[in-house]
Amino acid sequence: MSLSIRNQLPGTVTAVTPGEAMATVKVRLDGGQELTAAITSEAVEELGLAEGSAVRALVKSTEISLATGPVDGLSIRNRLPGTVTGIATGGAMASVKVSVDGGDLTSAMTKDAVTDLGLGAGTAVIALIKSTEVSLATV
């Protein structure tokens, strides 16, 4: 199956915390970072997810926010440090490429946000991803 989601990070499930309707799944990415996905309990069962399962974490580019420094007082669980490697801008929107340990991410944002944050190649950033926006696929 081919997908339009460009952000696909390989990893291994390290823990599954079941709930009545939703579960949290912790994934150790190949780069060493930990990512949390909040998915339905039904999906955990259908995918056969358990500790040691090989997965790909999938995140749409519109669901990745970038910060240029540490952020306190925020409920977003997934915070991946990285470096901007490139920016493509259009009339209103921009696509920002970020290198993180073990892979690359793309964040879609307004051109104004790129300017306001002073983003450019080499800028250190933190990719912020809500756990509810992480999908998992078995390998």
Side-chain angles (χ1 to χ4, degrees), residues 7 61 66 82-90 93-100 103-110 114 118-125:
N7 297 312
S61 61
L66 299 179
T83 304
V84 174
T85 58
I87 300 171
T89 57
M93 297 295 293
S95 177
V96 181
K97 301 275 188 194
V98 177
S99 176
V100 298
D104 295 310
L105 297 173
T106 299
S107 175
M109 65 182 65
T110 64
V114 170
L119 299 180
T123 303
V125 294

Side-chain angles (χ1 to χ4, degrees), residues 67-94:
T68 55
V71 181
D72 294 325
L74 194 62
S75 66
I76 295 175
R77 310 306 313 151
N78 300 308
R79 303 170 185 211
L80 303 177
T83 304
V84 174
T85 58
I87 300 171
T89 57
M93 297 295 293

Side-chain angles (χ1 to χ4, degrees), residues 28-122:
R28 168 100 30 213
L29 300 176
D30 285 359
Q33 314 91 321
E34 190 169 275
L35 195 68
T36 300
I39 62 175
T40 65
S41 296
E42 184 179 0
V44 169
E45 185 177 318
E46 287 177 2
L47 293 170
L49 297 179
E51 188 174 329
S53 297
V55 295
R56 283 198 174 274
L58 310 170
V59 185
K60 290 176 59 177
S61 61
T62 53
E63 301 304 331
I64 297 178
S65 296
L66 299 179
T68 55
V71 181
D72 294 325
L74 194 62
S75 66
I76 295 175
R77 310 306 313 151
N78 300 308
R79 303 170 185 211
L80 303 177
T83 304
V84 174
T85 58
I87 300 171
T89 57
M93 297 295 293
S95 177
V96 181
K97 301 275 188 194
V98 177
S99 176
V100 298
D101 286 344
D104 295 310
L105 297 173
T106 299
S107 175
M109 65 182 65
T110 64
K111 192 167 85 171
D112 289 344
V114 170
T115 301
D116 290 349
L117 291 171
L119 299 180

Side-chain angles (χ1 to χ4, degrees), residues 13-17 23-27 35-39 44 49 55 136:
V13 173
T14 59
V16 177
T17 304
T24 57
V25 180
K26 293 202 181 289
V27 176
L35 195 68
T36 300
I39 62 175
V44 169
L49 297 179
V55 295
L136 297 176

